[in-house]
Each structure stands twice: as C-alpha cells, then as structure tokens.
C-alpha cells in the first residue's frame, strides 16, 4: 500500500484543512495589477449600473505570469471569477456568448497554474473568499466576512461563509484520517478510536454549521439574485449558451505540454470557431474536497445516478443529464470522438463511480485532487471494519469490547455524514426546487430584460408559472424566466450550430424560436437522495439484521468489497 505524503505537500494544513493556513489576500500589492483591484472596488456598483461590460472593455490585458506566490494566484482567480461571470450573465442584460481576451486569457492561465478550470468553483468563493474580523481569532461564523460577492448582499456572504465554516470545522478530519490509516496498519486500536471519535465530533460541528444556513440567507434571494451568477456554461442551451462560452484569445495559445493548439492551419473557418468554445460546470457543493475525502476514507460507494450497486441496473426514467452523462468540455471534441467517449470520464480506482462526482474533481485545486487520488489507494478504514464484522461471524469468541467500540464509532461517523446529506437535501429543496416552482415575485426576476409578447401578458401569471415550472432547469434561474435571453440570429453560436448540425443542437436553437427549457436540472434531487442513501448503507451491524438493508440485498464481506474496488 503506497504511503500518503505529509498533508502539507497536498497544500493541506493540519489546523485549517483545505482552507489556506493563512487567510486569503485582501488585495494584490503589485501596482501592475491595480486595474483588477480597481475593478473590484467598484464591482457591485458597476454591475448594478449596467456599466461593468463597458469598464471591462477599457481594462488592459494583464500578464498573469507576474504573479509570484500561490496566495496571489488565488486572489487573481477570485477576481477573475467575479468579473467574468458578471460579464457573461450581466444585470438586466442579454447573456454574452463571448468572454473578452483581457479576462479569458489571464483567467485560463491562472486556472492552469492552480490546476483548475477557468470557471467559478467551490475553491474560489469558499476557500479563498473570506477575511477574519479579528486576525488572531478563530475561523468561524462569529469572526468572518466575505471578500467578494456578486450581489453585494449579506445573504450571499452568509451562504459562502457557512460553507467556509464547514470547511474549518471539518479540518481535524484530514489529519485524523491519515493517522487512522497508520494506526490500522500498526494495530493501534487506542489511536484508531481517538481518530474516529475526533472525526465524529468534527462532523457534528459541520452539521451544526450547515443547520444555520437559513439564519441569514433568504431562499428567494439566493435562487433569484445569487444563484444565476454561480452558473457555468455547461448544459445551458436554455440560457443562450448551447455550445458553452467563447474564450477569446485562448484558442491562439499554444500549450507546450499538451501541444493542444500547436497546429490549427489545417482547420477551416467553422472548425476554428468551434475550437474557441468551452463548456464548464458552475459552482457546486460536489466540488468540496472535504466531503469527497470523508467519502473515500469511510468507503462510501457512489454509483451512477439511478444505478443500484447490487444489480447494476440503470433507471431508464432518468435523463442523460449532468448527473448521469456529462458533455465534453470542448464541443469540438464531440466531432472527433462521437458522443460517447468524451461524455463519460474514466472511473477512479476505488469507491467513486458516479459520473458527476468524478467530473467535479476537475474543479478542485490540483494538490487537493492529488490528495484524494492517493487516499483512494491508501484508505483502509472500511476494509478493516468489514474484516472485524467477518471475524465476529466466524470466530466463537467474537469481538473484544474495544473492537465493538471501534465499529460503533465508525457507524456514528457514517450517521453524522448521512445527517449532513439529509440537511443538504432539505436545503436544496427549499433554496432551489421550491423557489423554482414558485417563480419570481417580479416578472423578470430582476435578471433578464427581454420583453414579453402581448399574448404572454394576457395570460394569467399563475398559469404561466405553473406551465413553465414543469419544464425548466431548476438549477439555473435564467432558464426559468420567459424573459431569458435567446440566441441572437446573427451570433457566432447560431452560425456554428448551422455549420455543425451533427452536434444535435440545430433543431433546438432556431434563432427565431423561443428559448427551449430542458428538464435535466430537475434530476438534482434523485442524485442527492441517492448519495444520502449510499452513505446510510455503509453502516455495519454485528448484532442482527441491518434495519436499513432489504431482504433482497446480499451481505457484503470485506473481501467482496476489496475485489469490487
């Protein structure tokens, strides 16, 4: 079994976990980057006044290679996430299909340096987006403020800070996970019990933090005022971005490592246009390395949504969406490889077999992703627990009190993780699904500007909302609004989709037609509920039938678990 490297080599602090060991930079000190910092000073005002895009066009294209430290790169990434997403989605503006080069090029370079995709993610708004009110105080909700928000609202700050507090509360889990692995190898049961008890306590604190979400974050404000800006450009045809976003200037960059753009001379105009598009998912709780690490450590098996681990059967009623099948990040790749291979990322070696969860690792910082990959190889907690269970069944003397206690505390950890997912399901139901069904309080939700037709105006508001709520993408408000932006008739996207009908989009995005709203986003609840149930299924019972296990399910031995991995 390969040894784990010290946590610090994965950019993990034994004290703060995945959060930086020192609070994120509040400002880039080099005067060269003053245009970025000046933009952030007036950021919310420019967005509200509808002048942000104009200001961006006046901004020079800066060379990100002048950033020196990882802390500076993180600050730059946060700035570029805030400005770029605001540029694309706007405020009472039509969605932009293009990101100008003065944002796209440095953002892509900074993302590459950090091992991320150039799109807003958990790391940007949670790990690198807080400041301490008392610099010597704790990283908790009583001592934090957000560095940047899209809406300028306290609700948005609270939403990010709740998650930051969860990361802080869960920090002790990481050192205790690696210590538990060593204690199992060395037969140190006392140390293992201490590790598991510490993790259980940390998980309970994480649950306490999550339960406070509703204290200062209003569900309506979150869904209609905040959530739109956290959206990426994957599966966003309904919002006017069927092929994703054009990163201007990026297609001309030659990557010496991959040789990706070294030769474009053989491409015709249409293929060159298509090469500019990128499709990335937006921010998601699934991008938290902390929750992923807990799953790996405790052997929680996640399968493709709708797939049962015992019977390997796909639920045919579930659509092929971002939870069961992901589109390629570059639309051009679909022409090279068809529609199958680029859509399904390769499986990891261990417990995670869920397509969406695997893909979300690309949105984690590179060192954190490497930690998860090494942990997949080294994790031995669940095999050890299953071995104790089998030992109890085959040996007359059974288990010692200490071994029973180890299984009990392991189950307690699983229970706390299951409770965390319970609460997450409740929050998603209240903050996303329920708000989408209710519709906005004002006709345009404070987001889009396109005018309704006279025929639409004549309809009863409640009838329109009820009709639309059944077909829109729950995850993204901009696909819920009848005033959502359509694809411009003369846009690059309209031109490219006409050139490449084999992409299967032309029939959906006729520039003269109304916005098409899909149902893929509504599948978020089956995904979350399955993740919760898969967590619950990991409990071990040594005194009788597991009440969570049906009679049709087969008993799992530690050797079966090892072989299936």
């Amino acid at each position: 079994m390969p040894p784990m490297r010290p946590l610090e080599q994965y950019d993990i602090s034994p004290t703060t976990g995945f959060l930086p060991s020192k609070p994120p930079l509040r400002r880039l000190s080099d005067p060269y980057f003053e245009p970025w910092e000046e933009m952030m000073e007036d950021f919310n005002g420019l967005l509200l006044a509808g002048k942000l895009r104009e200001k961006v066009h006046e901004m020079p294209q800066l060379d990100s290679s002048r950033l020196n430290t990882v802390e500076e790169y993180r600050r730059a990434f946060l700035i570029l996430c805030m400005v770029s997403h605001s540029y694309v989605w706007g405020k009472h503006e039509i969605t932009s299909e293009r990101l100008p080069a003065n944002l796209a090029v440095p953002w892509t370079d900074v993302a590459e340096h950090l091992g991320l995709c150039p799109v807003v993610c958990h790391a940007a708004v949670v790990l690198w987006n807080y400041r301490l009110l008392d610099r010597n105080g704790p990283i908790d909700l009583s001592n934090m403020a957000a560095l940047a928000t899209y809406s300028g609202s306290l609700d948005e700050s609270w939403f990010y800070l709740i998650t930051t507090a969860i990361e802080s509360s869960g920090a002790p889990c990481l050192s205790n996970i690696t210590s538990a692995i060593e204690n199992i190898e060395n037969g140190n049961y006392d140390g293992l019990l201490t590790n598991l008890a510490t993790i259980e306590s940390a998980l309970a604190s994480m649950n306490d933090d999550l339960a406070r979400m509703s204290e200062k974050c209003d569900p309506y404000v979150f869904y209609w005022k905040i959530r739109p800006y956290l959206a990426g450009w994957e599966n966003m045809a309904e919002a006017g971005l069927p092929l994703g976003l054009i990163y201007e200037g990026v297609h001309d960059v030659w990557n010496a490592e991959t040789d990706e753009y070294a030769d474009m001379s053989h491409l015709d105009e249409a293929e060159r246009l298509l090469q500019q598009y990128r499709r990335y998912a937006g921010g998601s709780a699934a991008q938290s390395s902390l929750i992923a690490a807990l799953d790996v450590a405790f052997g929680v098996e996640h399968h493709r949504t709708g797939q049962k681990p015992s019977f390997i059967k796909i639920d045919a009623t579930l659509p092929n969406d971002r939870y069961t099948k992901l589109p390629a990040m570059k639309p051009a790749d679909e022409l090279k490889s068809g529609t199958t291979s680029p859509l399904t990322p390769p499986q990891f070696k261990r417990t995670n077999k869920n397509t969406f969860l695997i893909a979300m690792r690309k949105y984690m910082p590179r060192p954190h992703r490497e930690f998860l990959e090494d942990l997949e190889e080294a994790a031995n907690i669940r095999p050890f627990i299953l071995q104790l269970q089998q030992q109890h069944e085959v040996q007359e003397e059974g288990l010692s009190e200490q071994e029973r206690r180890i299984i009990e505390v392991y189950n307690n950890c699983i229970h706390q993780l299951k409770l965390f997912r319970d609460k997450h399901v409740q929050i998603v139901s209240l903050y996303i699904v329920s708000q989408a069904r209710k519709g906005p309080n004002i006709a345009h939700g404070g987001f889009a500007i396109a005018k309704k037709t006279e025929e639409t105006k004549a309809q009863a508001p409640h009838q329109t909302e009820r009709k639309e709520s059944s077909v829109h993408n729950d995850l993204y408000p901009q696909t819920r609004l009848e005033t959502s932006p359509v694809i411009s008739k003369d846009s690059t996207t309209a031109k490219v989709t006409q050139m490449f009908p084999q992409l299967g989009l032309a029939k959906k995005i006729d520039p003269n037609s109304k916005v098409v709203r899909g149902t893929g986003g509504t599948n978020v609840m089956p995904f979350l509920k399955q993740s919760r149930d898969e967590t619950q299924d990991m409990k071990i019972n040594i005194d009788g039938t597991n009440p969570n296990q049906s009679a049709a399910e087969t008993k799992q031995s530690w050797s079966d678990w090892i072989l299936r991995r």
Side-chain angles (χ1 to χ4, degrees):
M1 183 179 296
M4 297 287 292
R5 289 179 277 158
L7 290 178
E8 291 82 358
Q9 292 187 21
Y10 299 105
D11 196 21
I12 298 173
S13 165
T15 305
T16 61
F18 290 110
L19 295 171
S21 56
K22 296 180 180 178
L25 292 181
R26 302 187 183 192
R27 192 178 186 90
L28 294 171
S29 58
D30 188 342
Y32 175 78
F33 294 104
E34 194 63 21
W36 287 355
E37 292 294 353
E38 288 179 355
M39 174 69 74
M40 290 305 294
E41 288 176 356
D42 298 326
F43 172 71
N44 296 120
L46 289 169
L47 184 58
L48 184 62
K51 294 184 177 180
L52 185 136
R53 290 178 180 173
E54 177 185 337
K55 189 72 172 179
V56 166
H57 294 158
E58 298 172 356
M59 192 172 66
Q61 181 171 326
L62 302 182
D63 180 5
S64 64
S65 67
R66 294 186 58 164
L67 298 166
N68 295 314
T69 66
V70 67
E71 290 81 10
E72 291 178 349
Y73 273 94
R74 291 168 180 165
R75 172 65 182 171
F77 189 78
L78 173 61
I79 291 173
L80 293 168
C81 282
M82 303 304 292
V83 178
S84 297
H85 278 252
S86 297
Y87 183 96
V88 171
W89 297 120
K91 182 74 174 179
H92 291 191
E93 298 167 287
I94 299 298
T95 301
S96 174
E97 66 173 354
R98 292 177 173 272
L99 189 67
N102 59 351
L103 291 176
V105 172
W107 196 18
T108 301
D109 291 342
V110 171
E112 172 64 24
H113 183 87
L114 295 170
L116 291 166
C117 299
V119 71
V120 73
C121 60
H122 175 88
V125 295
V126 172
L127 302 183
W128 308 332
N129 188 30
Y130 72 93
R131 61 183 175 88
L132 298 180
L133 302 176
D134 176 1
R135 294 177 184 267
N136 298 317
I139 306 177
D140 63 27
L141 291 169
S142 69
N143 191 43
M144 288 192 296
L147 291 173
T149 63
Y150 293 102
S151 64
S153 67
L154 296 177
D155 301 73
E156 185 175 355
S157 293
W158 188 252
F159 175 74
Y160 298 150
L161 295 176
I162 283 286
T163 318
T164 305
I166 289 171
E167 293 282 347
S168 178
S169 295
C173 294
L174 302 175
S175 57
N176 279 277
I177 285 171
T178 56
S179 178
I181 292 172
E182 294 177 1
N183 285 328
I184 289 174
E185 292 177 351
N186 298 329
N188 183 357
Y189 287 9
D190 290 335
L192 176 60
L193 266 174
T194 300
N195 297 144
L196 294 176
T198 302
I199 295 172
E200 179 189 357
S201 177
L203 279 163
S205 296
M206 291 166 57
N207 281 319
D208 291 340
D209 291 332
L210 186 59
R212 297 185 62 186
M213 178 66 76
S214 60
E215 286 183 16
K216 299 174 185 177
C217 182
D218 181 84
Y220 181 90
V221 173
F222 170 77
Y223 183 77
W224 294 104
K225 310 297 183 182
I226 300 169
R227 187 67 177 90
Y229 296 104
L230 297 175
W233 10 98
E234 173 194 284
N235 290 346
M236 294 301 286
E238 307 100 313
L241 301 176
L243 296 174
L245 185 69
I246 296 174
Y247 283 65
E248 291 186 346
V250 174
H251 64 290
D252 294 328
V253 177
W254 177 57
N255 189 316
E257 294 183 3
T258 63
D259 205 33
E260 189 171 4
Y261 304 115
D263 181 14
M264 293 181 63
S265 60
H266 63 288
L267 302 180
D268 59 26
E269 178 190 3
E271 291 171 327
R272 286 173 182 266
L273 286 174
L274 192 61
Q275 285 286 345
Q276 299 179 61
Y277 284 92
R278 298 291 180 273
R279 285 191 296 217
Y280 299 118
S284 170
Q287 295 162 358
S288 169
S289 302
L290 174 61
I291 302 302
L294 289 165
D295 278 341
V296 173
F298 288 110
V300 179
E301 298 185 7
H302 292 296
H303 297 263
R304 182 175 173 180
T305 304
Q307 186 178 43
K308 299 296 184 182
S310 299
F311 306 104
I312 316 298
K313 181 180 180 181
I314 302 294
D315 185 347
T317 65
L318 295 175
N320 280 334
D321 61 10
R322 67 201 306 258
Y323 296 102
T324 58
K325 202 171 188 181
L326 294 170
M329 286 185 174
K330 300 173 186 176
D333 289 346
E334 295 183 6
L335 297 179
K336 302 174 186 176
S337 307
T339 58
T340 303
S341 58
L343 301 182
T344 306
Q347 293 185 353
F348 281 91
K349 300 176 181 178
R350 297 285 175 167
T351 59
N352 192 347
K353 301 176 181 67
N354 183 278
T355 304
F356 178 67
L357 290 177
I358 293 172
M360 287 301 98
R361 292 195 180 183
K362 298 177 183 178
Y363 300 84
M364 300 174 184
R366 183 185 296 110
H368 299 173
R369 186 164 61 245
E370 292 173 353
F371 172 76
L372 294 177
E373 292 168 358
D374 287 351
L375 186 60
E376 295 262 359
E377 295 288 347
N380 60 3
I381 298 176
R382 183 162 181 81
F384 174 73
I385 298 296
L386 290 172
Q387 191 171 10
L388 289 181
Q389 181 189 35
Q390 192 170 51
Q391 177 182 326
H392 171 72
E393 294 171 352
V394 300
Q395 294 184 2
E396 294 183 2
E397 62 272 18
L399 300 178
S400 66
E401 287 300 316
Q402 188 178 45
E403 290 170 333
R404 285 177 171 270
R405 176 60 181 160
I406 289 173
I407 293 178
E408 178 186 352
V409 181
Y410 171 87
N411 282 339
N412 291 344
C413 291
I414 293 294
H415 181 66
Q416 288 295 332
L417 188 56
K418 184 262 184 184
L419 292 179
F420 187 89
R421 289 197 156 106
D422 272 337
K423 188 61 181 177
H424 189 206
V425 168
Q426 295 169 13
I427 288 175
V428 170
S429 178
L430 176 61
Y431 280 72
I432 295 180
V433 178
S434 178
Q435 296 307 311
R437 290 173 179 169
K438 291 177 182 178
N441 290 340
I442 55 178
H444 51 65
F447 187 71
I449 62 170
K451 295 180 179 179
K452 295 181 180 180
T453 63
E454 293 299 322
E455 179 182 354
T456 304
K457 290 180 180 178
Q459 297 178 1
H462 66 279
Q463 292 176 346
T464 301
E465 289 172 10
R466 192 159 48 230
K467 179 181 178 182
E468 297 294 336
S469 66
S470 63
V471 295
H472 82 285
N473 186 325
D474 277 352
L475 287 177
Y476 304 112
Q478 50 269 66
T479 68
R480 169 64 177 83
L481 304 168
E482 50 264 66
T483 54
S484 292
V486 297
I487 300 172
S488 174
K489 185 174 183 178
D490 299 321
S491 67
T492 303
T493 298
K495 181 179 180 180
V496 171
T497 51
Q498 291 172 2
M499 293 176 173
F500 294 102
Q502 62 267 47
L503 291 175
L505 295 167
K507 64 180 181 296
K508 297 182 181 179
I509 58 171
D510 179 358
N512 295 314
S513 68
K514 295 182 179 179
V515 176
V516 178
R517 300 175 182 87
T519 59
T522 57
N523 199 35
V524 62
M525 294 305 286
F527 163 73
L528 293 176
K529 290 178 179 178
Q530 177 172 315
S531 295
R532 175 199 61 193
D533 295 342
E534 288 168 338
T535 304
Q536 177 73 0
D537 289 344
M538 293 299 105
K539 287 187 176 181
I540 299 295
N541 191 291
I542 59 174
D543 295 318
T545 303
N546 188 337
N548 301 311
Q549 189 176 41
S550 66
E553 292 177 321
T554 58
K555 189 185 303 181
Q556 179 191 69
S557 71
W558 71 275
S559 55
D560 292 335
W561 190 85
I562 290 287
L563 291 173
R564 188 164 71 252
R565 293 172 69 186

